[in-house]
Amino acid sequence: MSQHRHPGAPGRAGAVPALPELPEATVARLPEYLRALHAIAETGHETVSSEGLANAAGVNSAKLRKDLSHLGSYGTRGVGYDVALLIEQIESVLGLTQCRSVALVGVGNLGHALAGYDGFASRGFRIAALLDADPSRVGEEINGLVVRHVDELARVAVEESISIGVIATPAPAAQAVADQLVAVGVTSILNFAPCVLSVPEGVDVRKVDLAIELQILSFHEHRKASLTALPGGLAATDTQEAIGT
Amino acid sequence: MSQHRHPGAPGRAGAVPALPELPEATVARLPEYLRALHAIAETGHETVSSEGLANAAGVNSAKLRKDLSHLGSYGTRGVGYDVALLIEQIESVLGLTQCRSVALVGVGNLGHALAGYDGFASRGFRIAALLDADPSRVGEEINGLVVRHVDELARVAVEESISIGVIATPAPAAQAVADQLVAVGVTSILNFAPCVLSVPEGVDVRKVDLAIELQILSFHEHRKASLTALPGGLAATDTQEAIGT
DNA sequence: TAGATTGTTAATCGATTAACAATC
DNA sequence: TAGATTGTTAATCGATTAACAATC
């Protein structure tokens, strides 16, 4: 679900260097390709075929080639893709050439874990600030960062040039936090609270809801159980799904 | 990305009570509707219009009605949907009428948080077992559960009738854990490790990768920055996206 | 009956896929 | 040249959306 509209280029016919249009589904897969490419680079391979990269990323090779073709032509027919070059290209498209600073609001159970998650640092992000509304949590040190009160958000956002806000508060607090983030100029939010956020146009919100993932699995589990109970027995079923597509 | 194929009904023409075919995109939204319905129920409303429910769930009403129409006709023209009835229906379709038991493998940073996450219990899931490969972690008590060694998985799976496995290990350990889960009969896996799992047909895997979510936001942030830098100025941009669709 | 709202239709859009010509 | 593999085409599929007839 996304409601992106990107009019190629407003005004001034001819003068505007149109941004490369990327389908949302492609954007969502680029990070997976990037991860796979890093893994391949570590094994020492300098090139990789679309087939090889597709396998490592869990997609089919036609989709991979189609996706990469949106970035331009960085492969060599008969040979494959230069691993280092492709990493560069994807990182550049995703805007990962600069390290992005993240403010994490809500240092409860989940917030704690996120604050300590090393997968962020290793992939281009820096948790630059931890905030919480609970005064008893302010001052606590987590992973070398001191928790500050959420009211300091405006100051923190400027000091740390925050690029992305992560909400890990309970659901009832999430909308207010989102409003505060928007008010200080944050235009990208990752929301772990199980609720819908309303934000102005131009602000991107992505949502991760752990219970929803389990419920989707529950559906398939339920259906598989029904199928095996059927006289026909086991029908052919499924394999893998990924999220965020 | 999903590769589901569900041949309506194998064999025995006419005799098989075909399962209601649900589009994957619809399945992925049902849990969100369910959450919204619970919220509405708490405010005391007994019915809700497609418009009202759609707003609460962050989708448009046409999509909501289309989705619900796949479940059958549980609305009343001119009136709306009976909240309690619709909750029942969706829970039944998702297989949530029975509480499902979850085994969580890997009690590091993230695993700890997941073990303590109350959003699971309140939405039909019970963390029934915690496992880890690290002997120094075995025996630790988290949230009233004692961590057991992952080698005990087979026994635990039977004892607790595990329905879903959650992998929260480092990436290099994830495939082996998946293999073990599959070996003891688990057919639904939620994977938090940043890697692709290979599993046999009939096993469903969903993946949550926190860094990937940030990278997708980074892309949009990057593009917004480029747009504002353009002579044309601010182009109309986007609003909200959800994940797992 | 008049007003409201569903369930469904049909058009549109975007994503996937297989196949293959281009080309290293 | 022969073999390999990309980049692109075109067909297919599934999801979204607006509009409205059905009906409470």
Side-chain angles (χ1 to χ4, degrees):
Chain A
M1 169 197 315
S2 81
Q3 305 158 14
H4 290 256
R5 285 146 278 136
H6 284 282
R12 306 214 191 174
V16 182
L19 290 183
E21 272 302 319
L22 278 189
E24 266 305 301
T26 297
V27 172
R29 282 187 295 263
L30 289 180
E32 193 68 47
Y33 300 157
L34 190 56
R35 191 197 49 69
L37 282 164
H38 279 299
I40 289 167
E42 275 186 14
T43 70
H45 291 77
E46 292 190 353
T47 62
V48 65
S49 67
S50 62
E51 189 68 27
L53 181 52
N55 284 340
V59 304
N60 70 49
S61 63
K63 192 186 283 180
L64 176 96
R65 286 198 302 276
K66 183 75 165 172
D67 282 339
L68 294 187
S69 76
H70 292 294
L71 308 186
S73 291
Y74 297 106
T76 307
R77 290 163 135 109
V79 179
Y81 299 89
D82 182 287
V83 174
L85 177 64
L86 198 49
I87 287 177
E88 253 180 57
Q89 276 307 319
I90 295 181
E91 287 186 342
S92 150
V93 166
L94 291 177
L96 298 174
T97 46
Q98 53 181 295
C99 173
R100 295 193 174 266
S101 295
V102 173
L104 170 60
V105 187
V107 291
N109 225 331
L110 182 61
H112 256 88
L114 295 174
Y117 185 55
D118 21 297
F120 290 150
S122 66
R123 291 199 269 171
F125 299 93
R126 183 179 71 100
I127 305 260
L130 304 178
L131 302 119
D132 204 295
D134 182 350
S136 74
R137 280 210 167 106
V138 171
E140 185 185 346
E141 190 180 315
I142 304 172
N143 240 33
L145 270 181
V146 175
V147 177
R148 302 171 71 172
H149 194 272
V150 71
D151 287 345
E152 289 191 65
L153 187 57
R155 192 180 324 163
V156 171
V158 174
E159 278 174 14
E160 305 286 347
S161 33
I162 294 301
S163 175
I164 296 176
V166 174
I167 300 180
T169 66
Q175 181 62 58
V177 170
D179 294 343
Q180 292 177 79
L181 285 168
V182 168
V184 303
V186 171
T187 54
S188 292
I189 296 175
L190 180 55
N191 178 31
F192 286 92
C195 62
V196 172
L197 294 181
S198 109
V199 295
E201 277 217 355
V203 176
D204 280 289
V205 176
R206 290 188 66 85
K207 187 183 168 195
V208 175
D209 188 323
L210 308 179
I212 283 186
E213 298 306 325
L214 288 184
Q215 291 178 344
I216 295 172
L217 284 173
S218 172
F219 168 80
H220 292 297
E221 195 62 24
H222 185 50
R223 186 169 55 177
K224 280 182 280 195
S226 318
L227 279 174
T228 54
L230 243 49
L234 295 155
T237 40
D238 7 325
T239 25
Q240 197 141 341
E241 322 164 33
I243 290 172
T245 305
Chain B
M1 167 197 316
S2 82
Q3 305 157 13
H4 291 256
R5 289 145 276 137
H6 285 281
R12 306 216 192 173
V16 182
L19 290 184
E21 273 301 320
L22 277 189
E24 268 303 304
T26 297
V27 171
R29 282 187 295 262
L30 289 180
E32 194 67 47
Y33 300 157
L34 191 55
R35 190 197 50 69
L37 281 164
H38 280 299
I40 289 167
E42 275 185 13
T43 69
H45 291 78
E46 292 190 351
T47 63
V48 65
S49 68
S50 62
E51 189 69 27
L53 181 52
N55 284 341
V59 303
N60 71 48
S61 63
K63 191 186 283 180
L64 176 96
R65 287 198 300 278
K66 184 74 165 173
D67 282 339
L68 294 186
S69 75
H70 292 295
L71 308 184
S73 291
Y74 298 106
T76 305
R77 288 164 137 108
V79 178
Y81 299 89
D82 181 288
V83 174
L85 177 65
L86 197 50
I87 288 178
E88 254 179 57
Q89 277 307 319
I90 295 180
E91 287 186 341
S92 151
V93 166
L94 291 177
L96 298 174
T97 46
Q98 52 180 298
C99 172
R100 296 193 173 267
S101 295
V102 173
L104 170 60
V105 187
V107 290
N109 226 329
L110 182 60
H112 257 87
L114 294 174
Y117 186 54
D118 21 296
F120 290 150
S122 65
R123 290 197 270 172
F125 299 93
R126 182 179 72 100
I127 306 261
L130 303 179
L131 303 117
D132 204 293
D134 182 348
S136 74
R137 278 207 168 111
V138 172
E140 185 185 346
E141 189 180 316
I142 304 172
N143 239 33
L145 269 181
V146 175
V147 177
R148 303 170 71 172
H149 194 273
V150 71
D151 287 345
E152 288 191 65
L153 187 57
R155 193 181 322 164
V156 171
V158 174
E159 279 173 13
E160 305 286 348
S161 31
I162 295 300
S163 177
I164 296 175
V166 174
I167 299 179
T169 66
Q175 182 63 57
V177 170
D179 293 343
Q180 291 177 79
L181 284 168
V182 169
V184 303
V186 171
T187 55
S188 292
I189 297 176
L190 181 56
N191 179 30
F192 285 92
C195 64
V196 172
L197 295 181
S198 109
V199 295
E201 279 218 353
V203 175
D204 279 288
V205 176
R206 290 189 68 86
K207 187 184 169 196
V208 175
D209 190 321
L210 307 179
I212 283 185
E213 297 307 324
L214 288 184
Q215 291 179 343
I216 296 172
L217 284 173
S218 173
F219 168 80
H220 292 296
E221 195 61 24
H222 185 50
R223 186 168 53 177
K224 279 182 281 194
S226 317
L227 279 174
T228 56
L230 242 51
L234 295 155
T237 39
D238 6 325
T239 25
Q240 197 140 341
E241 322 164 33
I243 290 170
T245 305

